Amino acid sequence: MMKIFQKNLVAVLFLAICSNVVAQSKVDPEYVKVTNERAQKIVNDLKLNSPADQLAVRDIIAEQYRSLNKIQDGRDAKIDAVKKSVTDKEKQQKSIDKIKNSADKEILSLHKSYLKKLSKKLTNSQIVQVKDGMTYGVLPITVLGYNDMLPNLTEAQKKYIYDALVEAREHAMDGGSSKEKHAWFGKYKGRINNYLSKQGYDLNKESADWHKRLEEREKNKK
């Protein structure tokens, strides 16, 4: 009996050690470096005076990138496993939807926690800068684009466009890739275009006219 107990104990300890090694191996030093550098670029634009605050905010942003990646990688691995093991398409889709919903809840909780951490170190305007930094500045660029293409927008129309893009940015900042981030903005730009069409704008004509104006500006620069 004692020998069996000892063998089982050794087996448990071996599995625990292996699990710990696997967990540690998942922390890729190169990825940590990449996320730190990515976060530092955002922090540089904040112009924080305190080196301690700069480091603290950098770490918060970098950790957010890594936490999102962990959730998304785990989600994708589970989905791949389901696709390989479940042949019934209906059951497969139900399992995949369940996995995605669970990951979305985790990401939403992480999103709220992240903003709470930032609010302890930054002003509201600085947090907006962080959000734009995480989404390649697509929001301000897109707002300028719409205003330039449609100079006669009403204040109500401008507000609709801005509010829609703010909502898009909240989703996009949790995206796991550049493609996913841009896809969120693409989705909301589709909504904006539908709204503007209902407001009476012929967007195909407006876009064509706008590109002509842009070409003229470039010629005049030369």
Side-chain angles (χ1 to χ4, degrees):
M1 181 67 71
M2 182 59 70
K3 287 183 178 180
I4 293 173
F5 174 78
Q6 287 175 337
K7 286 181 179 179
N8 288 339
L9 180 59
V10 170
V12 170
L13 289 173
F14 177 77
L15 288 173
I17 292 168
C18 288
S19 298
N20 189 46
V21 169
V22 170
Q24 288 178 359
S25 67
K26 289 181 180 179
V27 182
D28 181 0
E30 186 59 32
Y31 183 61
V32 171
K33 180 183 176 184
V34 168
T35 51
N36 283 346
E37 290 175 349
R38 192 185 304 167
Q40 188 61 52
K41 288 180 181 178
I42 295 172
V43 171
N44 289 342
D45 290 334
L46 299 177
K47 309 298 183 185
L48 300 175
N49 293 324
S50 166
D53 284 343
Q54 290 177 23
L55 182 60
V57 174
R58 188 210 69 177
D59 287 346
I60 291 170
I61 298 170
E63 183 59 34
Q64 178 70 359
Y65 280 125
R66 294 193 286 271
S67 297
L68 284 169
N69 182 260
K70 183 179 178 181
I71 294 171
Q72 290 154 352
D73 280 357
R75 173 200 62 197
D76 295 345
K78 290 176 184 177
I79 290 173
D80 286 342
V82 167
K83 287 180 178 179
K84 291 175 182 176
S85 61
V86 182
T87 54
D88 183 282
K89 292 298 180 183
E90 187 176 344
K91 289 182 179 179
Q92 183 186 101
Q93 191 57 53
K94 284 183 179 179
S95 295
I96 290 172
D97 289 342
K98 187 176 180 180
I99 292 167
K100 286 182 177 179
N101 288 336
S102 178
D104 286 345
K105 288 179 182 178
E106 282 189 76
I107 290 171
L108 179 59
S109 176
L110 183 67
H111 184 98
K112 291 177 180 178
S113 173
Y114 173 56
L115 294 181
K116 189 175 181 179
K117 289 176 185 176
L118 288 178
S119 69
K120 293 178 180 179
K121 294 291 182 181
L122 303 174
T123 64
N124 289 336
S125 61
Q126 287 172 326
I127 291 174
V128 168
Q129 282 183 270
V130 171
K131 292 179 179 182
D132 283 334
M134 294 183 75
T135 54
Y136 316 117
V138 172
L139 186 153
I141 292 170
T142 306
V143 168
L144 286 173
Y146 274 113
N147 288 337
D148 197 34
M149 180 174 70
L150 305 169
N152 297 318
L153 285 169
T154 65
E155 290 305 313
Q157 290 166 345
K158 289 179 181 179
K159 184 178 186 304
Y160 180 91
I161 291 169
Y162 181 77
D163 288 346
L165 291 171
V166 165
E167 189 173 330
R169 184 178 61 193
E170 289 302 303
H171 292 294
M173 61 188 282
D174 294 332
S177 65
S178 172
K179 183 179 180 181
E180 188 177 345
K181 291 175 188 289
H182 281 95
W184 276 111
F185 284 106
K187 178 179 180 179
Y188 277 80
K189 279 191 274 189
R191 293 183 185 181
I192 292 169
N193 291 345
N194 289 336
Y195 164 79
L196 291 172
S197 294
K198 291 178 181 178
Q199 293 284 305
Y201 287 97
D202 182 343
L203 291 178
N204 287 330
K205 183 179 182 303
E206 296 287 357
S207 180
D209 291 346
W210 182 44
H211 281 92
K212 287 179 183 177
R213 295 199 301 271
L214 291 176
E215 289 174 4
E216 285 298 319
R217 288 178 196 170
E218 288 299 317
K219 288 179 182 178
N220 291 334
K221 287 180 181 179
K222 297 176 183 178

